[in-house]
Amino acid sequence: MPNVVFDLNPPVHRGVMDLDRGKFQKTLKVLAARITAAQTGSIKGADVLRREILDLPKIRSVEPDPVDGGSRLLLLGRITQDTLPSPVREFLAVNSQGLTTFDVNLDYDYWNADEILQAVLPEELIREGIPSSFTNTGHIGKCSGHFNLREEYLPYKHLIGQVILDKHKNLRTVVNKVDTIDTQFRVFKMEVIAGEEDFNVNESGCVFAFDFSKVYWNSRLQAEHDRIISMFQPSDVIVDVFAGVGPFAVPAAKKGCYVLGNDLNPSSSEAMQANAERNKVQPWIRVSCQDGREFIRGSATQIWREPFPHVDSPRALKQKQKAARRAREGNHPAVSGPDSEPTGPPSPRRRVDHFVMNLPASAIEFLDAFRGVLKPLRDEDKVEFGSVYGDLMPMVHCHCFTKELEMPGAEEDLRKRAAAHMGAELPAGALFHFVRRVAPNKDMYCISFRLPRDIALS
């Protein structure tokens, strides 16, 4: 491209508090060669023009001719004819229908968020850096952008939020964290600085709605949610101790598991119930709002005395409904024969298969609640207990933090702490899964282990 420097920066409007998109207009006047539509490919590919054709980001080099509908304008990286090299001029004299000028109009949509914010924020803030980095929550079409703006940017928070919302088409909402995390419920006080005030997130094939300012949600844990859920089998009974709005509970129920979902935060338990209804899995979830330790101690007894009646999984229900509809339409009549004979309903589910404890800051401290958790069941009916549980105790998945950043130090630290709270060593086969690094000196792990029988029945 010729040595012509075009100013592509947006117009500067510093210090504005409200975004006026109409003020961001700029026109670049460039030289253009008029050519026929049939010539476009051959002329554009000519060696003599290779360095002369306009080459700017997001700007086409060929435009319709506003004067002659059958012609095209090949935009050149020049402003005036007298700057064209002689070989180029001679080539265009033979192969084009003449030279003209063309206005390249740039508007608000042309520039990205950084460029617009550079043009509107005060210079002293720009020197500190542009606040365009945020955390995405959710998936395309259902996202929110999560900011943590420094104090000096707060007067311009709505302006910043609107620009970010405009320039990231997958966002519906932009929020700013107002204060530090709540120590009891792990929530931030949030304020919406642009977009819709509702928060909808798609994850694990489910839709979650919640108020970000009242509940805890971490979009970085989706892979961990999916990993744990993949361990569940349809008809397993899951006890989710710190369930939040249901990122484990709701997809597990959709898979056909039966779930006791609990959270101490009333807003979280209410959102979990609403999300169960939203995803049509209410028959598979029972929601409670209790202290985690109390919930663990009572959960197995609750399921033992009030077992889950068998309900076909959501997928199986859909398949049955589809088969019944096709049979009614006469396309696939019901199959007769021994294989189609009813076998009777499966037994109610009254054993716990998995405990999930996703509260990494303190879940390990709740392991003491498992001491004797199954003893009331055995004392009530030893024969029935043996029939339901046998020698296979529930799995426990306990999320926790450690400051030991390398194995085997992390495993040694977590084993020691878990044993101190549970009152027994973790089984030799316990799995220590690295989830993510949450800070330079802190890692998140998940310990998965079979609950020791001596602890469960102590």
Side-chain angles (χ1 to χ4, degrees), residues 72-194:
R72 302 289 183 269
L73 295 182
L74 179 63
L75 308 187
L76 306 174
R78 302 279 180 173
I79 299 175
T80 59
Q81 298 184 30
D82 55 8
T83 60
L84 284 173
S86 297
V88 175
R89 224 177 301 157
E90 292 169 2
F91 176 85
L92 292 176
V94 175
N95 293 281
S96 75
Q97 300 168 7
L99 296 173
T100 185
T101 58
F102 182 80
D103 288 343
V104 177
N105 296 313
L106 309 181
D107 59 16
Y108 176 78
D109 292 335
Y110 178 77
W111 294 285
N112 63 33
D114 280 358
E115 291 166 331
I116 295 294
L117 292 175
Q118 287 269 6
V120 297
L121 293 176
E123 290 185 10
E124 60 270 21
L125 292 186
I126 293 175
R127 287 194 290 269
E128 298 292 324
I130 299 298
S132 56
S133 177
F134 57 90
T135 298
N136 241 354
T137 298
H139 292 295
I140 292 176
K142 300 287 187 181
C143 285
S144 67
H146 173 183
F147 270 101
N148 187 5
L149 292 176
R150 297 200 303 267
E151 184 177 357
E152 56 267 31
Y153 292 110
L154 293 182
Y156 304 94
K157 61 188 177 184
H158 295 294
L159 176 66
I160 294 168
Q162 190 58 60
V163 172
I164 295 298
L165 190 67
D166 287 346
K167 298 303 179 179
H168 295 82
K169 301 304 182 184
N170 61 319
L171 295 183
R172 288 177 37 179
T173 307
V174 181
V175 299
N176 181 48
K177 185 178 77 171
V178 175
D179 56 11
T180 57
I181 194 166
D182 180 284
T183 55
Q184 183 182 20
F185 294 144
R186 299 187 298 161
V187 300
F188 298 99
K189 184 178 180 182
M190 311 292 290
E191 62 174 340
V192 175
I193 57 177

Side-chain angles (χ1 to χ4, degrees), residues 217 304 453:
W217 179 273
W304 182 260
R453 183 180 181 87

